[in-house]
């Protein structure tokens, strides 16, 4: 199943700050993610505590994308960056 992917203004702002190399990695992994959000290559996992209901997948060893499922076929990307994105999320 292919998912419809939406992004928040925070995600857009975070994305603009990424290096061209990281943008390329995100584009590659984003294609995989749109087809199969739980592909092992992405290391998708749930978040907990104040971020319960959100999920995350890995771009590389340091960079993550935080997202949520909005229904059966839509996913909203909230943030992209290092682990500090979890502290900056306002829900």
């Amino acid at each position: 199943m292919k998912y419809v992917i939406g992004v928040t203004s925070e995600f857009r702002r975070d994305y603009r700050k990424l290096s061209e190399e990281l943008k390329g990695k995100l584009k590659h992994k984003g294609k995989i993610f749109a087809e199969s959000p739980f592909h092992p290559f992405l290391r998708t996992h749930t978040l907990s505590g104040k971020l319960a209901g959100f999920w995350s997948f890995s771009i590389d060893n340091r960079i993550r994308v935080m997202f949520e499922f909005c229904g059966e076929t839509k996913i909203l990307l909230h943030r992209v960056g290092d682990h500090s994105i979890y502290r900056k999320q306002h829900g």
Side-chain angles (χ1 to χ4, degrees), residues 4-86:
V4 175
I5 307 293
V7 299
T8 65
S9 58
E10 289 173 316
F11 181 89
R12 283 189 190 99
R13 185 173 36 249
D14 293 342
Y15 179 83
R16 285 192 296 267
K17 295 176 186 177
L18 296 177
S19 69
E20 290 303 314
E21 178 185 5
L22 285 173
K23 287 177 182 177
K25 287 180 180 181
L26 177 56
K27 183 176 181 179
H28 172 69
K29 291 220 175 165
K31 288 179 183 178
I32 296 168
F33 179 77
E35 293 286 337
S36 179
F38 295 101
H39 189 287
F41 185 57
L42 300 172
R43 301 192 320 255
T44 302
H45 60 279
T46 60
L47 300 177
S48 59
K50 291 181 180 180
L51 296 175
F54 290 94
W55 295 73
S56 178
F57 72 90
S58 298
I59 299 302
D60 64 14
N61 288 332
R62 193 173 62 87
I63 303 299
R64 308 285 185 267
V65 174
M66 184 169 53
F67 68 95
E68 70 177 320
F69 289 97
C70 301
E72 295 206 11
T73 60
K74 185 173 181 187
I75 295 172
L76 186 60
L77 305 181
H78 283 271
R79 303 296 307 267
V80 58
D82 63 18
H83 280 92
S84 69
I85 64 171
Y86 302 135

